[in-house]
Amino acid sequence: MRLGNLQLHNNLVLAPMAGITDYPFRQLAREMGCGLTFTEMVSAEGLLRKGESFLKMVEGEHPVSVQLFGSKPEVLAEAAAKAEAMGADAIDLNMGCPAQKVVKTGAGADLMRFPEKVEGLLIAMRKKVACPLTVKIRSGWDEEQINAVEISKLAEGCGVDAITVHPRTRAQSFRGRADWSVIAAVKRAVRIPVIGNGDVNTPVLIQKMIEETECDGVMIGRGALGNPWIFSEKHSGFPEKGPTISPEERKGMIHHHLSLIQSYYEERNLTPQIRKHLYWYTKGLPNCATFHSQLSSLKGKEKLLQAFHSYFDSIQRREPCQRSVPEEDRSITGWVEKAL
Ligand SMILES: Cc1cc2nc3c(=O)[nH]c(=O)nc-3n(C[C@H](O)[C@H](O)[C@H](O)COP(=O)(O)O)c2cc1C
């Protein structure tokens, strides 16, 4: 897939996820084969105020797209220029965040309701950056206002290089199923690359989304949690529910991920990071419920690591196990709604 002047080595993309797609997670996804990673969404105003420390986080990282949210053309344009100058390979405008605190400022999914405003933002941003400019949209504001096709054509007309479609409305937030027919409709309507997103958590679903929608790339969010193997070619031919990862391989991956986390975060911020990733890596494994209740009560890095080792000792004696893939991960849906 090619976004403007940026050639990617494959068409798999790590979704922007606030509180999750930090530097260690993006690095891991890239190591596993992911073609493009996105930062968590970043406030354009915040970036202009204290951007140096933030943008350090993309230093030396390629290819990475910095996702901005905001609602003022001059602020978004300046922030985009600053991010590009500091090493971003692409800039993305967030038009999908459903959180009330973002929407009420006129940013995120609120933009889906105001095409003329979007045009002003994109024209201003396009003038300021030479790198690929992309947008990430939803189906529309609600069931009565599905306008992904209209917004996509408008974005293409403003010189945007690619569009990611997460086909849920703002009203749906993260509930219900993503309606892939909206991705297909956008793909038929524009000539720039379309990246499909929503409910892909196995290699089979990657293929299915491409076949059903003819999208150019597939963006994966929740399906990558505790599952960086989703980006790996080695696993692309695996059965319906995804690859069977031996406990040794899973443990090795967790060790590696935790070491990336430990070299990135200060000691006092480690515990919540370690806890959430241990939870995701072990979801669906034998006796995980007991381990998860331990995770939520234990405090401090050392105790969490001890619990992780004894849990793996207890399952390592078993046959390689396939993680069950939940239909809809309600725990994360609730968590996102609180976190955003
Ligand atoms: C915890 C969490 C945080 C998210 N943060 C962002 C964000 O910062 N920017 C954005 O455009 N989408 C964000 N999303 C939406 C995802 O990028 C993606 O569109 C959505 O989860 C659907 O894809 P999936 O089914 O592969 O998870 C977030 C989703 C989750 C679960």
Side-chain angles (χ1 to χ4, degrees), residues 13-21 38-42 67-69 92-98 136-138 164-168 173-174 178 196-201 209 218-225 280 332-333 335-337 339-340:
V13 178
L14 173 66
M17 287 187 283
I20 299 175
T21 49
F38 277 66
T39 64
E40 333 171 36
M41 62 177 185
V42 178
Q67 191 191 56
L68 298 174
F69 72 95
D92 185 68
L93 176 64
N94 178 315
M95 291 180 55
C97 180
K136 180 163 178 281
I137 67 172
R138 282 189 172 245
T164 303
V165 185
H166 172 205
R168 285 186 174 87
S173 188
F174 292 91
N197 168 236
D199 300 342
V200 171
N201 55 12
M209 177 180 268
V218 175
M219 175 184 274
I220 300 163
R222 292 165 294 180
L225 301 177
W280 289 322
I332 191 141
T333 308
W335 187 75
V336 177
E337 283 166 359
L340 290 174

Side-chain angles (χ1 to χ4, degrees), residues 93-270:
L93 176 64
N94 178 315
M95 291 180 55
C97 180
Q100 186 55 26
K101 69 179 178 201
V102 171
V103 164
K104 76 175 185 215
T105 67
D110 196 54
L111 293 173
M112 294 298 298
R113 296 197 289 168
F114 302 105
E116 280 175 24
K117 182 172 165 187
V118 172
E119 191 169 23
L121 300 182
L122 292 177
I123 289 173
M125 293 172 83
R126 183 70 287 176
K127 277 190 193 143
K128 285 280 187 171
V129 291
C131 69
L133 175 64
T134 63
V135 290
K136 180 163 178 281
I137 67 172
R138 282 189 172 245
S139 312
W141 179 255
D142 60 20
E143 210 42 42
E144 272 72 56
Q145 304 171 71
I146 304 282
N147 61 349
V149 166
E150 178 197 350
I151 294 280
S152 300
K153 284 185 179 167
L154 180 151
E156 182 176 40
C158 295
V160 157
D161 295 295
I163 298 168
T164 303
V165 185
H166 172 205
R168 285 186 174 87
T169 63
R170 188 268 171 171
Q172 280 179 293
S173 188
F174 292 91
R175 290 178 293 272
R177 308 290 313 163
D179 177 0
W180 290 1
S181 72
V182 176
I183 303 172
V186 169
K187 176 63 194 167
R188 285 193 299 271
V190 297
R191 289 200 301 212
I192 51 178
V194 172
I195 301 171
N197 168 236
D199 300 342
V200 171
N201 55 12
T202 65
V204 170
L205 287 174
I206 295 174
Q207 279 315 318
K208 193 164 180 234
M209 177 180 268
I210 294 172
E211 279 160 26
E212 280 185 18
T213 70
E214 298 191 25
C215 63
D216 304 276
V218 175
M219 175 184 274
I220 300 163
R222 292 165 294 180
L225 301 177
N227 186 27
W229 295 275
I230 188 113
F231 297 112
S232 148
E233 256 178 51
K234 192 176 122 197
H235 294 302
S236 58
F238 276 82
E240 186 96 23
K241 290 217 161 178
T244 301
I245 309 291
S246 71
E248 288 79 14
E249 192 176 356
R250 188 172 296 275
K251 195 173 171 186
M253 180 67 78
I254 298 173
H255 263 298
H256 178 48
H257 193 167
L258 295 187
S259 73
L260 294 173
I261 289 175
Q262 293 185 64
S263 48
Y264 183 74
Y265 285 99
E266 287 177 25
E267 192 70 23
R268 63 195 156 98
N269 297 326
L270 284 175

